[in-house]
């Protein structure tokens, strides 16, 4: 039996192995860097959240119907007919959220919102359980004040609202596209049905 050669020369296959390992390492590093950077490259995902320049509260108040939303735990009891009503109360805004539950009963939650100074009324802080407040930012609003995209800087919560229970699909898609451009997961929005729209005037 012959012993392996003790010569210091390597075979061509042995010489190519380190080069292949180096190439694989560079490819793996590039793939990792791309995977790490991809979320940061998505439009708006890491940028400050842009709101509309200003909101006329006198035109904004009243009843809004929820058309779509990013699902959240505090609306999980709602199965349809979700709406919000805003009323100016001095330097604050009274909030009344209502929806229909699975058993047909109406659920409602009352809150209070305050305007963030210097925001042009486009940023509010809303509380349903004092002293806890959440952000309410107006991100897109048409000239007629008939449709709006609302969200918050963490991009975890967002809503599409309209003055009527139904909004043309083209308009819904336009607002979803705007949400995506701002870094929200537009594909996760859930539509809201209004088979028995609640009265706009207030509680039943």
């Amino acid at each position: 039996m012959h012993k392996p050669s003790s010569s210091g020369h390597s075979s061509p296959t042995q010489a190519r192995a380190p080069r292949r390992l180096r190439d694989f390492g560079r490819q793996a590093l590039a793939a990792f860097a791309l995977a790490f950077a991809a979320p940061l490259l998505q439009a708006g995902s890491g940028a400050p959240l842009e709101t509309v320049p200003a909101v006329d509260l006198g035109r904004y108040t009243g009843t809004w119907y929820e058309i779509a939303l990013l699902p959240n735990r505090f609306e999980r009891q709602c199965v349809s007919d979700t709406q919000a009503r805003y009323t100016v109360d001095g330097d604050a805004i009274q909030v009344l959220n209502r929806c229909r539950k699975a058993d047909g009963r109406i659920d409602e939650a009352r809150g209070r919102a305050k305007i963030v100074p210097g925001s042009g009324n486009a940023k509010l802080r809303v509380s349903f359980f004092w002293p806890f407040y959440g952000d309410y930012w107006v991100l897109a609003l048409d000239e007629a004040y008939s449709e709006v995209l609302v969200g918050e800087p963490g991009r975890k919560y967002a809503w599409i609202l309209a003055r009527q229970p139904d909004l043309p699909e083209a308009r819904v898609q336009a607002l979803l596209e705007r949400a995506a451009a701002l870094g929200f997961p537009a594909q996760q929005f859930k539509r809201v049905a209004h088979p028995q729209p609640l009265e706009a005037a207030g509680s039943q």
Side-chain angles (χ1 to χ4, degrees):
M1 180 180 291
H2 296 284
K3 294 182 180 180
S5 173
S6 58
S7 171
H9 297 288
S10 60
S11 69
T13 300
Q14 291 173 326
R16 287 196 298 269
R19 184 179 301 171
R20 287 200 299 266
L21 289 173
R22 288 196 299 270
D23 291 343
F24 175 78
R26 284 194 293 267
Q27 292 169 1
L29 181 61
F32 174 80
L34 181 61
F36 178 80
L40 302 179
L41 296 175
Q42 293 177 359
S45 60
L49 187 58
E50 180 183 352
T51 67
V52 298
V55 175
D56 182 341
L57 291 181
R59 298 181 63 196
Y60 192 83
T61 53
T63 298
W64 291 90
Y65 295 89
E66 189 175 88
I67 304 300
L69 78 158
L70 287 178
N72 58 68
R73 68 182 186 280
F74 43 86
E75 289 185 67
R76 60 188 175 189
Q77 78 282 6
C78 299
V79 297
S80 65
D81 303 314
T82 305
Q83 66 168 226
R85 186 182 63 174
Y86 308 125
T87 307
V88 174
D89 182 14
D91 59 353
I93 297 174
Q94 296 294 333
V95 181
L96 173 63
N97 289 343
R98 304 169 65 227
C99 70
R100 195 177 305 279
K101 300 194 294 184
D103 61 6
R105 292 186 298 169
I106 305 303
D107 182 82
E108 69 176 44
R110 295 179 182 271
R112 184 177 178 86
K114 56 184 180 181
I115 299 164
V116 176
S119 68
N121 300 333
K123 297 180 181 179
L124 292 87
R125 298 279 289 165
V126 183
S127 175
F128 291 93
F129 306 99
W130 186 89
F132 303 104
Y133 281 83
D135 290 305
Y136 179 110
W137 290 14
V138 180
L139 309 178
L141 179 64
D142 70 326
E143 293 183 1
Y145 281 63
S146 62
E147 59 189 54
V148 64
L149 171 66
V150 177
E152 49 81 36
R155 296 174 171 83
K156 185 177 180 181
Y157 305 112
W159 297 264
I160 292 176
L161 310 175
R163 292 297 192 183
Q164 300 296 326
D166 295 310
L167 188 63
E169 184 62 22
R171 298 308 311 149
V172 176
Q173 289 301 321
L175 290 170
L176 288 174
E177 290 174 6
R178 179 56 180 161
L182 292 172
F184 289 88
Q187 72 281 2
Q188 295 180 20
F189 273 73
K190 176 184 176 182
R191 302 298 181 97
V192 179
H194 291 271
Q196 296 178 278
L198 305 179
E199 294 180 1
S203 305
Q204 290 179 341

